[in-house]
Amino acid sequence: MTTRAVVRGVGHYLPERIVPNAWFEDKIDTSDEWIRSRSGIERRHFAADGETTSDLAANAALEALADAGIAAETVDALIVATSTADLTFPSAATMVQHRIGMTGGFAFDVQAVCAGFVFALAQANALIVSGQATRVMVIGAETFSRIIDFEDRATSVLFGDGAGALLLEAVEGAGTNADRGILATDLHSDGSHRDILYVDGGVSTQTTGHLRMQGKEVFRHAVEKLADTAHASLGKLGMTGDDVDWIVPHQANLRIIKSTAQKMGVEMDRVVVTVQDHGNTSAASIPLALTTGVRNGQIKEGDLVVTEAIGGGLAWGSVVLRW
Ligand code: UT7
């Protein structure tokens, strides 16, 4: 028997305010046509004044608990993947732990920017497989609208706010690829690429800072590294793109999503795409897409799902799981 981390429930939360591409047109030199054609983005959600990352995360987590029919007191670990926590400390995770009524266990944040949810899923899997936890809430939540430079047309049009959550539970499997749950993970980072995607501020510099990105360079790394990591995690299982029912990629750019799917030999009708509605929500993008894929009937129990993401660091990776 092999212990597997199986998805028991999903939830998500998007702030009420929807901002269409046209909103930017009288503020910076851009157009709806440019944003759609270069990124696939049509709209994004921005958090209301005073609405924080832990607010978004708690709403998503409560929905995942309800979906699973599981009480918060029985969850023994909670991880929030975020780069935009409410405060320097405590972690967003401990705030969410309290908000959802999780009275025991432990909670912590993971910071791997847009790859954060993949990193958090891998950590949740490690906690479950090693017997340190049996029920783990994994949340990706961001308010990137707070770190956008609204005068920079190269970045401001790309990002949005939101949160998604998965509740994972330890289940005994047969130890084969037919098991439900997380089957393989593959994580990487390379700090030498710091300057192509970063925030020019932080606690130690006593500023919040703004997101800075050399888009073309990040794009180049993304199209190469995302297919590589997806192949690597599938390869650990002796699998290929042919075995995949759904790719649920980080939603940064439709052109990157298409290129990765093509390299994996997977048709676009087996890829969950939400970038048009959410923009790039960093660590929240994959759980938002997973929830959307489940809700609209795409992802079903037993399907083989591959998630992959890349972001600042650079940090990148993938997770293969059977739903
Ligand atoms: O989630 C973390 C990972 N992030 C990503 O994966 C993002 C990766 N990068 C990208 O998605 C793309 O590089 C962008 C969408 C950011 C940009 O697309 P691109 O095809 O690489 O465009 P570009 O940066 O090469 O810019 C092309 C032109 C430039 O004008 P010139 O120099 O050719 O005259 C830009 O100044 O488009 C111009 N441009 C814009 N024009 C209208 C840049 N931003 C805008 C804009 N509106 N918002």
Side-chain angles (χ1 to χ4, degrees):
M1 298 289 267
T2 303
T3 305
R4 302 290 195 187
V6 173
V7 177
R8 279 290 308 271
V10 298
H12 79 296
Y13 178 78
L14 288 159
E16 232 168 78
R17 182 178 169 210
I18 298 173
V19 178
N21 290 346
W23 182 82
F24 293 90
E25 286 178 343
D26 60 359
K27 295 176 180 59
I28 46 173
D29 181 14
T30 191
S31 64
D32 175 43
E33 198 285 325
W34 189 95
I35 302 167
R36 274 176 203 254
S37 63
R38 305 314 293 164
S39 72
I41 297 165
E42 297 173 21
R43 61 194 69 81
R44 76 286 293 137
H45 294 246
F46 281 165
D49 288 346
E51 194 174 35
T52 64
T53 293
S54 71
D55 295 332
L56 275 49
N59 288 333
L62 287 169
E63 212 179 79
L65 286 171
D67 185 44
I70 281 174
E73 308 88 66
T74 68
V75 177
D76 42 21
L78 183 149
I79 308 174
V80 175
T82 189
S83 302
T84 49
D86 306 21
L87 300 176
T88 302
F89 72 77
S91 64
T94 52
M95 295 185 189
V96 175
Q97 178 188 27
H98 180 62
R99 283 273 297 277
I100 68 171
M102 185 181 146
T103 46
F106 57 94
F108 62 95
D109 288 357
V110 162
Q111 216 274 46
V113 202
C114 297
F117 193 77
V118 165
F119 275 60
L121 263 190
Q123 301 323 303
N125 184 50
L127 289 172
I128 286 176
V129 168
S130 63
Q132 294 177 79
T134 53
R135 281 182 175 163
V136 185
M137 181 71 77
V138 190
I139 307 164
E142 303 277 17
T143 46
F144 260 48
S145 61
R146 311 295 197 228
I147 52 168
I148 288 172
D149 175 355
F150 282 98
E151 289 179 2
D152 178 11
R153 70 173 183 170
T155 56
S156 60
V157 300
L158 303 174
F159 295 92
D161 302 336
L166 298 192
L167 183 62
L168 298 174
E169 185 173 54
V171 172
E172 292 305 313
T176 70
N177 288 352
D179 287 352
R180 290 188 66 203
I182 295 177
L183 300 176
T185 64
D186 181 62
L187 303 180
H188 301 269
S189 62
D190 180 349
S192 69
H193 299 299
R194 189 202 85 141
D195 291 346
I196 65 172
L197 181 48
Y198 67 104
V199 170
D200 59 1
V203 183
S204 213
T205 57
Q206 297 192 301
T207 59
T208 305
H210 291 112
L211 184 150
R212 306 293 174 204
M213 178 168 72
Q214 295 172 32
K216 245 189 176 28
E217 270 303 292
V218 177
F219 192 100
R220 197 173 60 76
H221 284 284
V223 293
E224 171 200 309
K225 291 181 165 57
L226 290 173
D228 284 354
T229 181
H231 281 134
S233 52
L234 284 167
K236 292 177 185 179
L237 302 166
M239 289 177 156
T240 69
D242 291 344
D243 300 296
V244 173
D245 292 302
W246 292 102
I247 302 177
V248 183
H250 171 48
Q251 310 282 323
N253 186 313
L254 187 58
R255 291 184 291 143
I256 295 173
I257 292 171
K258 284 183 174 168
S259 154
T260 305
Q262 191 183 19
K263 285 187 176 180
M264 291 174 66
V266 175
E267 296 293 327
M268 281 304 289
D269 61 4
R270 288 193 284 141
V271 182
V272 177
V273 180
T274 55
V275 70
Q276 70 283 358
D277 295 325
H278 303 161
N280 182 346
T281 57
S282 185
S285 92
I286 287 176
L288 276 169
L290 282 168
T291 308
T292 304
V294 170
R295 299 264 161 90
N296 66 18
Q298 291 173 295
I299 302 170
K300 297 190 183 67
E301 189 169 319
D303 283 352
L304 193 80
V305 176
V306 179
T307 65
E308 30 86 350
I310 187 167
L314 294 176
W316 68 101
S318 58
V319 172
V320 180
L321 68 159
R322 192 172 295 287
W323 203 259

